[in-house]
Amino acid sequence: MAIVAEPQQPDLREPAGWRRTSNRIATWLMVLAFVLVIIPLGFVLFTVIAKGVSIISWSFLTSGPIPPIVLPASVGGLGPAVLGTIEITALATVLAVPLGILGAVYLNEYGGKGPLARLIGFMADVMTGVPSIIMGLFIFAIWVLHFGYSGLAGALALGCLMLPVVIRSTDEMLKLVPDPLREASYALGATKARVTVTVVLPAAIGGIVSGALLAVARAAGETAPLIFTILGGTSVANTNVFKGANTALPLQIFSNATQPYTGAQARAWGAALALIAIAFILMIAARLVTARFTRYSR
Amino acid sequence: MSTVVKADPVGPAGSARLLSERRPLGDRGFQVLTLACGLLVLVILVLIAVSTTQQSTSWFSAEGLKIFTNNWNPAANQFGALAFIYGTIITAIIALVIAVPVSLGVALLLTEVVPYRWARPIVTVIDLLAVVPSVVWGLWGILVFAPWIQHIYASIGSGVNGIPVLGSLFGPPTSGASFFTAGIILAFMITPIVTSLSREVIATVPAIDKEGAYALGATRLEMIRGAVWPHSQGGVVGAVLLGLGRAMGETIAVALVIGSSPVITSHLFAPGYNMPAVIANQFGEASGEFRAALMGIGVLLFVFTIIINVIARWIVERSARRKRGA
Amino acid sequence: MEQPEQNPVATTSLPKPAALQESKPVSDTPGVAVFDTKNLSIYYGAFRAVTDVSLTVHENEITAFIGPSGCGKTTVLRTLNRMNDLIPTARVDGDVHYRGASLYAKDVSPIAVRRRIGMVFQKPNPFPKSIYDNVAYGPRINGERNKGRLNEIVERSLRQAALWDEVKDRLKHSGLGLSGGQAQRLCIARTLAVEPDVVLMDEPASALDPIATGRIEDLMHEIKSRYTIVIVTHNMQQATRVSDRTAFFSVLVDSKSDTRTGTLVEYGRTEQIFQDPHDSRTQAYVTGRVG
């Protein structure tokens, strides 16, 4: 017969000592890391909004010309720079996004696992890490020296920045489109081009647009490529994006940031607020597009 | 939905033609078009290398190996660029030392600690951090952050003045615009990319491994060390290298807060300079060999960042491949 | 059935949970109740995954949970060592007692629970470390630092898992380089290294070939005298081969809301369940007519 010991209830409480302490410390450190991220972000946003909101107005954003730096912020406005940012970024988008999408189509639909596609995909990833200033120097060397400063040159530089980003994000979206969708289209006798354009791209369009918007947000805020390509000294709006020097919001911020005059600095804060607002709007738009239109993301 | 598709031209009834035998011109043209767009990536990279080198040959030939000396004096036509290389490395190291622990902490927070509902807002904060343009960081840095932190530098500086190692690192001269300030701002800027990449890497650790550790009675920290870390160390190294590449190439924020002083010094709170910053700040007024020198510094920067990015991407890809194979 | 092999290495330094005792072969009078559940229901959010499970698992017995897929047997198993805590929306209703103590009481630490109630998973999951470090992981996190004692523990655990002879010369090799059957025995060794009171097994042999499966089943017989084992299996023959008691779970379909909820249908001695089932659903399942 089995000897039954007195049943004692097991002690199921948490083991005390170093194990519990080290686990708690680790968790708090992780929380601290997040706090360390929030603090500078909060600071920057708070400062930009606080200092910029008094400058920002419709006339500030639309009227020109840009006054000399000594004048206070109430004189003139940054209209030429806003126009410059819009037209140059738009041109860059028109150049880079279609080319990027087509490049991603090659990678995903035609290239597959072949060596060339793998090389292109790998170098596209590498290219996203090329500093933006290099793109500026590149376009300077290859275009500006021959054709002069222009909004187009700036758009080329920004386009080079955007291209690999668009390729990569589009490629990710195309990968998510399930193969059965393609097969159904092939089975109806469609060519690869038709399948891609009529079935695959529409299925991925939400993610593609979202990725493109984020690329635009990044490009709109870039300064370094513009220094070497649009010159930036202009004070009046240049509506011809293909000819002649131009200016843009980031350049205005850059040149005004080092000025001792309060007017110049105020204009810089106003431009910074405008720039951040543009970037945020694009980011929110990207999220809305993702939420509303992606059907196949998991 | 019926799709009317123009069939391939067929021969007499009954003769079947494989689709691959003759593809319509449009289809082939489309393929060529996409290939051309893909090749654009390689073409641009090659053109960058060629054109920028071409513009800087006068510098390379005039200075030769002297480009690696600390002798930058445009007025006297001397263009040794060592100070900028030094500055690039130092600011990048400072940025990594600050950003890597923070990024890993947030990545682990997101993957292991936070319940699903809270993950979204945290990721949003990281995305917000990523979308602030470089020039805005620079503006805030030079007009708000630098004047504020200058006082802290000054107190630390006077405090450690004279102490052997600390004094030469943190002693005077101190300035708001300095190596260290640039490093801090860079840390803010590279945190998003290191965080999101680390998070991707950590998320690929199979849940079953984590469960195995928990089932043995491990605390969360013990589980992370036992199951998560061995799987993700390779990928995290890749993520850190990518952050390094970003830190080396960030231009405008650094140009505004680094102090614009081409010196090599161990004093981290002193003003300094780095490669992208000098190009951005001085290119407008440069010509002739000066301009060639700045271009050449750009070439060096291009080479450095390409090498780092290639290594980083290769590491990340290899650890992802190993995971899929395992 | 052969005598269980005497383990040469018997010393251990880990604190043994209370109330473990030498066992006798299972008789009709059941031993100490290790687990006792009453009206246990498990929810994922608002969805009731398992309902009304009341059973008692006895010491030094092998208890099998069988049933068609989706009947909640793995869910119930994971409730026994608080592994369902890892799923954010999981919730437990009813009583679950382990040797008299409530497993889901306020101050109960899942870590302490899992130290006593170990688990082997369906798919072998060795850590990407050496074989030695895999087995030593548990003792190390419990504070064992002494090299000599760790060596003893590793050898003893690998012997208990019938793996020692195959790996004793390559303890420093990676645990990932083992075959499926070996890897699973490594995971068992890893679980045994902390000397738990109970070993839960979630379809431990389903990913293995028949020979490896046979090895695992032999292992279970050998360690039965020192541990209490609960095994989930979809293989009825396996249940008859290894278990002393069997619990048959099935699915209740609610036609109105089209939800499927698992529940315990019948629980008893294995011979009785398979040869003389009381419930018609049990009979239908074990005779192969359904499931």
Side-chain angles (χ1 to χ4, degrees), chain C residues 91-112:
Chain C
R91 197 169 44 93
V92 156
D93 203 34
D95 290 329
V96 184
H97 286 278
Y98 163 66
R99 293 191 181 276
S102 169
L103 269 186
Y104 283 84
K106 268 267 167 45
D107 59 346
V108 168
S109 154
I111 295 170

Side-chain angles (χ1 to χ4, degrees), chain A:
Chain A
M1 195 154 65
I3 304 165
V4 179
E6 277 301 313
Q8 315 158 258
Q9 280 206 5
D11 180 5
L12 295 178
R13 287 168 311 176
E14 194 166 4
W18 177 238
R19 290 181 68 195
R20 175 171 68 174
T21 318
S22 64
N23 194 40
R24 296 241 175 109
I25 293 179
T27 308
W28 281 114
L29 282 179
M30 292 187 231
V31 173
L32 176 66
F34 181 59
V35 168
L36 285 178
V37 164
I38 285 203
I39 290 183
L41 177 69
F43 245 126
V44 168
L45 291 183
F46 176 73
T47 315
V48 168
I49 294 176
K51 287 194 190 270
V53 80
S54 46
I55 315 294
I56 283 253
S57 67
W58 186 249
S59 84
F60 177 76
L61 290 175
T62 53
S63 66
I66 303 176
I69 47 179
V70 291
L71 291 183
S74 43
V75 177
L78 285 185
V82 172
L83 179 66
T85 291
I86 293 178
E87 58 187 11
I88 295 172
T89 312
L91 184 56
T93 306
V94 162
L95 290 173
V97 170
L99 295 178
I101 294 179
L102 287 173
V105 165
Y106 169 73
L107 285 180
N108 208 48
E109 310 291 327
Y110 290 100
K113 297 272 195 330
L116 181 60
R118 285 216 314 259
L119 176 68
I120 292 180
F122 186 75
M123 291 318 280
D125 279 334
V126 169
M127 195 171 161
T128 62
V130 171
S132 59
I133 191 173
I134 305 286
M135 299 304 184
L137 289 174
F138 165 53
I139 298 294
F140 178 84
I142 213 177
W143 184 274
V144 175
L145 285 182
H146 304 294
F147 302 110
Y149 295 99
S150 65
L152 174 61
L156 287 174
L158 290 184
C160 287
L161 265 186
M162 290 173 67
L163 181 68
V165 175
V166 174
I167 290 182
R168 251 324 166 204
S169 71
T170 306
D171 186 42
E172 295 294 314
M173 289 300 129
L174 291 178
K175 279 210 213 23
L176 289 177
V177 175
D179 268 341
L181 216 63
R182 296 181 179 84
E183 288 162 10
S185 191
Y186 284 129
L188 289 166
T191 60
K192 196 162 198 169
R194 188 177 274 269
V195 171
T196 306
V197 171
T198 59
V199 171
V200 179
L201 284 181
I205 196 71
I208 295 178
V209 167
S210 165
L213 284 174
L214 289 174
V216 173
R218 183 178 160 196
E222 285 288 346
T223 321
L226 299 178
I227 295 178
F228 311 96
T229 50
I230 70 177
L231 193 56
T234 62
S235 51
V236 291
N238 184 352
T239 48
N240 185 354
V241 76
F242 295 100
K243 201 148 80 122
N246 213 325
T247 185
L249 283 174
L251 275 187
Q252 287 296 318
I253 303 176
F254 185 49
S255 54
N256 280 341
T258 46
Q259 300 299 336
Y261 307 104
T262 50
Q265 291 184 2
R267 272 188 285 274
W269 288 113
L273 181 56
L275 208 53
I276 285 197
I278 293 177
F280 277 14
I281 291 175
L282 287 170
M283 190 179 110
I284 295 176
R287 287 199 166 193
L288 284 177
V289 168
T290 308
R292 198 78 74 75
F293 291 109
T294 32
R295 275 174 276 160
Y296 294 107
S297 60
R298 265 278 152 261

Side-chain angles (χ1 to χ4, degrees), chain C residues 204-217:
Chain C
S206 67
L208 307 178
D209 63 76
I211 295 187
T213 301
R215 281 230 180 110
I216 303 275
E217 292 178 8

